[in-house]
Amino acid sequence: EVQLLESGGGLVQPGGSLRLSCAASGFTFSNYAMSWVRQAPGKGLEWVSGFSGSDDSTYHADSVKGRFTISRDNSKNTLHLQMNSLRAEDSAVYYCAKHRTAGAWYFDYWGQGTLVTVS
Amino acid sequence: DIQMTQSPSSVSASVGDRVTITCRASQGISSWLAWYQQKPGKAPKLLIYGASSLQSGVPSRFSGSGSGTDFTLTISRLQPEDFAIYYCQQANSFPRTFGQGTKLEIK
């Protein structure tokens, strides 16, 4: 069974940093691309960052470019999101999501989310 | 960025009804479109990918169609567990973007 478990969320002051982690199990982590998607309270979904399955390139939304960095540790089956220079508008539940296949950015499994509050 | 616009923003329907939700992309995305269902306090669930392919384990009452800029999600016979928020998402270009969501409520 595929499982994704996020951690690392919490309350942080504006300008601060947090590092989110996503522990993956139930599939061969190194074979799949992964992304982070966030959802502000009461709002819709926003893709944040992701790995391309084809060449492991990383991509970020313009709203976080230069502030957030996605990384992965295949030896530990873990995905990370380093968030720096946090702003109030970054407050959201952050989900890690597995891509359905290497070549398509469809998210077939999601974690339960971790809440980040910037205040 | 490609803007994804869903309509309606909310819809009321009864168990057994047929419901159609529309998603329009601001530019052509071929068939690079997915639909998700989200229930309160839960993570989204993938329903449809590639505009019309049913994700494994999703009931056949869900179907998707369209290509280019106009797409639809149809639920043929609403069940009580289908009342939720539905999102479309384009996978054609960066940044990946979602529609604003359509809330399906019980009439």
Side-chain angles (χ1 to χ4, degrees), chain A residues 33-37 47 49-51 70 79 95-97 99 105 107:
Chain A
M34 301 288 295
S35 279
W36 289 96
V37 178
W47 171 80
S49 302
F51 274 96
I70 188 172
L79 182 73
Y95 296 101
C96 69
H99 294 205
W105 292 60
F107 312 123

Side-chain angles (χ1 to χ4, degrees), chain A residues 42-90:
Chain A
K43 302 298 184 182
L45 300 168
E46 179 187 16
W47 171 80
V48 174
S49 302
F51 274 96
S52 167
S54 57
D55 59 4
D56 246 9
S57 297
T58 59
Y59 298 85
H60 299 274
D62 286 346
S63 57
V64 307
K65 203 170 289 183
R67 300 187 299 123
F68 290 12
T69 302
I70 188 172
S71 63
R72 64 190 298 163
D73 184 340
N74 288 337
S75 68
K76 296 182 179 179
N77 293 346
T78 303
L79 182 73
H80 299 288
L81 185 68
Q82 178 66 43
M83 305 187 297
N84 299 329
S85 303
L86 283 161
R87 306 167 180 167
E89 54 265 34
D90 296 319

Side-chain angles (χ1 to χ4, degrees), chain B residues 12-19 76-83 105-107:
Chain B
S12 296
S14 301
V15 172
D17 284 353
R18 177 186 181 95
V19 170
S76 59
R77 291 173 302 278
L78 276 173
Q79 298 299 301
E81 61 267 29
D82 299 337
F83 294 94
E105 299 176 298
I106 300 175
K107 184 182 287 183

